[in-house]
Each structure stands twice: as structure tokens, then as C-alpha cells.
Amino acid sequence: LRPAGQTLQRITARIGGVETVEVMGDFTDWTPVPLMRRGRDHWEYARAELVLARISECSDAHAMFAHAAAVAEAQLGPRETDTLVARLGLGKCQLKRADRAGLVTLEAVVAACGDGCLWSIRAEALSLLADENWKHGDRALARARMRELRALMIANQYTADLAEVDAWLRAH
């Protein structure tokens, strides 16, 4: 674990001969999270929340995520993992503050997550959007997002939370 700027920390590992690598700790709420392959045997996990999860005031976190997102996008581009992680954190803070701009921010995260994107970023954004869409009455879109999340989890052979997604779909 090493710093990668003021608001981001990164875990890197060199592990050869494997197809997937996961990390788990208090910073992932003890849920296994896949690392992104960055080379033949180079794996990476980066989360702004590692630093910002301890901040009690969402307004402080909001400002830090907004700054981190702007810097990452300027230096790395809009589709890089560091940028998407910062944008995801910003969207979460916006929603927590009841700011509907969080929907736009999270939509941009989903749109930017293409090939090479850490799929768990897209998954988290889809889940947040589904809950928010449901809360604001767009039931069909909420269900579509959860079906997309389910398909994404299956495509990435991640079944740990599949029962929770299925339960959400049955209840909604």
C-alpha cells in the first residue's frame, strides 16, 4: 500500500501465472475486490476511499473527490482508473448530500467504463444509480441497471453478492 497523490492510495502486486487476483481488508469492508491487470504479472488496486473513508464530513470529502477527479482527469484522462475512482467517490458524496448532480456524475462513470476499466467501479456506479432511480420513481430504469449489474457480475465470475442483487430484483 503506497500513496498515489493526496487523495489516493494504491496497492500493487507482481503475481505471475494467475488469471485473477483479489484483495480483502477493512478498506473493502472485508469483501474480496478484484485487482486490475496492468501487465502480464502486474496487478493494481486504487481507491480514493482508502484515504477519504475516515473523513466525517461529506462536504470535506466532496471537495477532495472533486479536486482528485479534476487532477486525475487532467493528468491521466477521463477513462483511467484513478479518474473513475475519484468520480465515483464524488458521485457518492453528491448523492449523500441529496444533490441530484450525483446521478450525472455516476452516469459519466458508467459511460466511461469501457474495456480495460476495473469492472467493480462500473458495478458500484450501477448499484448506486439503480437505488437512486428507484427512489425517484424511475422503476424501469432501476430494474434495467440491476439486470446490467447482474450480467456484469456473472461475466466477471463474481458471485459473492449475486444473491443480494437477485433479492433486490425479486423485491422490486
Side-chain angles (χ1 to χ4, degrees):
L1 180 65
R2 58 193 163 122
Q6 287 185 322
T7 58
L8 188 71
Q9 289 186 335
R10 181 182 325 258
I11 296 171
T12 59
R14 287 206 175 273
I15 303 170
V18 297
E19 292 300 314
T20 62
V21 175
E22 292 180 332
V23 65
M24 178 173 69
D26 62 350
F27 55 91
T28 67
D29 292 326
W30 298 102
T31 301
V33 176
L35 274 69
M36 176 89 170
R37 180 174 250 153
R38 291 293 189 191
R40 190 171 52 92
D41 63 350
H42 186 211
W43 300 85
E44 175 182 89
Y45 177 73
R47 298 274 304 215
E49 285 91 339
L50 292 177
V51 174
L52 298 173
R54 308 290 186 243
I55 296 174
S56 60
E57 291 296 322
C58 192
S59 60
D60 292 341
H62 180 274
M64 292 176 121
F65 276 121
H67 177 72
V71 170
E73 186 165 340
Q75 293 181 357
L76 306 170
R79 295 177 184 262
E80 287 297 315
T81 300
D82 294 352
T83 304
L84 295 170
V85 166
R87 293 247 176 257
L88 179 65
L90 177 61
K92 288 164 68 173
C93 282
Q94 289 168 322
L95 293 181
K96 187 172 183 175
R97 295 168 61 181
D99 181 352
R100 302 234 342 147
L103 292 171
V104 175
T105 301
L106 294 172
E107 289 281 358
V109 169
V110 170
C113 281
D115 293 337
C117 172
L118 189 61
W119 73 268
S120 60
I121 295 171
R122 183 180 181 92
E124 189 169 357
L126 285 169
S127 177
L128 291 164
L129 284 167
D131 286 339
E132 208 55 28
N133 292 143
W134 187 267
K135 187 181 350 176
H136 293 286
D138 198 340
R139 310 291 200 231
L141 184 56
R143 286 186 199 100
R145 291 194 190 288
M146 287 304 270
R147 285 191 298 271
E148 183 180 351
L149 172 59
R150 186 179 195 286
L152 184 62
M153 292 168 75
I154 290 170
N156 286 279
Q157 301 176 354
Y158 184 76
T159 58
D161 296 325
L162 199 55
E164 187 178 328
V165 172
D166 286 340
W168 190 98
L169 285 165
R170 280 192 303 276
H172 297 83

